[in-house]
Amino acid sequence: MTGKAVDLVEIWRGGRLESLHRGHAVVMNAGGEIVESWGDPDHVTYPRSSAKIIQALPMVESGVADRMGLTPAHLALSCASHSGAAIHTDPVNRWLDDLDLNDDAFRCGPQWPSDIPARNGLVKADATPCRYHNNCSGKHCGFLTMVKANGWGPEYVEADHPLQVQIKATFEDLCEDTSPGWGIDGCSAPNHAMTIRGMARAMASFAAADDRSARGAAMVRLREATMAHPALVANVDRACTHLMQAGKGAVSVKTGAEGFFIAIIPGKGLGVALKIMDGTTRASECAMAAILCRLGVLDADDPLVKQYRNPDLKNFAGLVTGDMRPAAALA
């Protein structure tokens, strides 16, 4: 049984503590040493979409990305949980065209865009969303690229498919641990459970990677692609994009469902992984922003950062009713 979660994020209203978000977090260096932690480093959970950069690694490391002519923008999309905006769906559809495939090849389900203009456009046209609107469609384009290049069967989300077998092996290798099991992610692909420590170790490996090996060079390309194209990884109005923009090339971050979040800090050779136990995204964003400020990667006074680390909470009339802030352990 894992240890207890600790207070990471607080919600204040009228001078009183109204809500608490508890969780676990680990900062690890490339040597496998924990630099700092909160809660239980050995808590086991699903990293969800925070694992996408690992899931994309076999495509780059194997040489398939180069053979198929993929650009940094393609690589960023392969790591994305996008909003279904035109800046995402247009390149996804071009990528499908390049593979001589269509929307039916995806094994993720249709999803309404979270991007408001894109959603409104569908509603006004009395149209329904397609699979390419799914926030994971960029990742699935990467999966389909591997399938096409290797001549594998089309059911690429099955756990025993060669693609998923390779991804699992890569995941466990980077985490330096065996996954105790897997669940089905929102996009229908397997998602492997891991300790917070294991995910932080994997992210530290990405942070410390260089081009002296095929794997290291692939890691560098993926982390650099996400930082070069943050809006493709998320959207122009999302935390991942804003925090990477504020970092100015110093950090790559990626959210995951149910309160998971990772960071890769190349200049310091550090990886960060955290989980908010109630699954709240607002809390995972606040906690990650606070940790990155604590590590000197981000400036707490930067407006792009403050809106996540210590935002004012407003009601529908625009009145400030309280604030969200890191708990004392993260402050």
Side-chain angles (χ1 to χ4, degrees), residues 205-228:
S205 295
F206 272 93
D210 56 38
D211 60 4
R212 289 180 290 182
S213 68
R215 171 162 289 182
M219 288 177 159
V220 171
R221 288 174 64 183
L222 284 165
R223 81 186 187 211
E224 295 295 325
T226 60
M227 291 188 289

Side-chain angles (χ1 to χ4, degrees), residues 17-298:
L17 178 64
E18 184 174 36
S19 299
L20 274 174
H21 298 286
R22 297 184 172 93
H24 310 274
V26 173
V27 181
M28 183 171 282
N29 64 26
E33 301 168 321
I34 292 179
V35 175
E36 199 166 7
S37 69
W38 300 263
D40 183 7
D42 293 315
H43 176 76
V44 176
T45 189
Y46 298 110
R48 304 296 296 273
S49 286
S50 290
K52 283 180 177 174
I53 196 167
I54 300 175
Q55 293 169 321
L57 184 57
M59 178 179 68
V60 184
E61 183 182 6
S62 66
V64 164
D66 287 335
R67 280 166 38 209
M68 303 297 279
L70 301 190
T71 66
H74 287 109
L75 300 187
L77 275 172
S78 73
C79 300
S81 296
H82 63 67
S83 296
I87 63 168
H88 308 118
T89 55
D90 287 351
V92 162
N93 279 317
R94 288 195 296 270
W95 194 347
L96 276 179
D97 288 342
D98 291 341
L99 293 171
D100 294 320
L101 298 172
N102 58 37
D103 201 59
D104 292 338
F106 284 133
R107 293 298 179 261
C108 55
Q111 180 183 5
W112 282 97
S114 58
D115 180 76
I116 299 301
R119 178 185 286 256
N120 288 348
L122 288 174
V123 172
K124 290 176 182 178
D126 196 23
T128 56
C130 298
R131 291 181 175 91
Y132 66 77
H133 291 106
N134 189 291
N135 78 96
C136 297
S137 64
K139 178 180 82 171
H140 283 248
C141 275
F143 286 172
L144 287 168
T145 299
M146 284 287 280
V147 168
K148 181 90 170 182
N150 290 288
W152 290 333
E155 302 306 322
Y156 61 84
V157 296
E158 297 297 326
D160 60 354
H161 190 279
L163 172 65
Q164 298 303 333
V165 171
Q166 191 170 353
I167 287 173
K168 181 177 185 288
T170 301
F171 178 80
E172 292 180 330
D173 194 26
L174 291 183
C175 294
E176 296 187 17
D177 200 358
T178 300
S179 172
W182 53 274
I184 300 298
D185 212 337
C187 69
S188 301
N191 197 254
H192 301 285
M194 184 51 62
T195 61
I196 309 296
R197 178 200 305 268
M199 278 298 290
R201 185 189 302 274
M203 296 308 110
S205 295
F206 272 93
D210 56 38
D211 60 4
R212 289 180 290 182
S213 68
R215 171 162 289 182
M219 288 177 159
V220 171
R221 288 174 64 183
L222 284 165
R223 81 186 187 211
E224 295 295 325
T226 60
M227 291 188 289
H229 300 280
L232 292 183
V233 174
N235 200 9
V236 294
D237 58 352
R238 297 262 301 279
C240 288
T241 301
H242 290 154
L243 295 180
M244 285 193 277
Q245 288 172 335
K248 299 179 175 64
V251 64
S252 173
V253 299
K254 181 69 186 70
T255 189
E258 298 298 329
F260 209 94
F261 221 118
I262 61 90
I264 298 164
I265 309 171
K268 295 178 180 289
L270 298 177
V272 184
L274 69 85
K275 165 71 175 178
I276 298 296
M277 289 304 296
D278 62 17
T280 308
T281 297
R282 69 175 183 179
S284 64
E285 292 172 348
C286 176
M288 181 56 75
I291 290 172
L292 293 175
C293 289
R294 186 182 181 93
L295 294 173
V297 179
L298 299 180

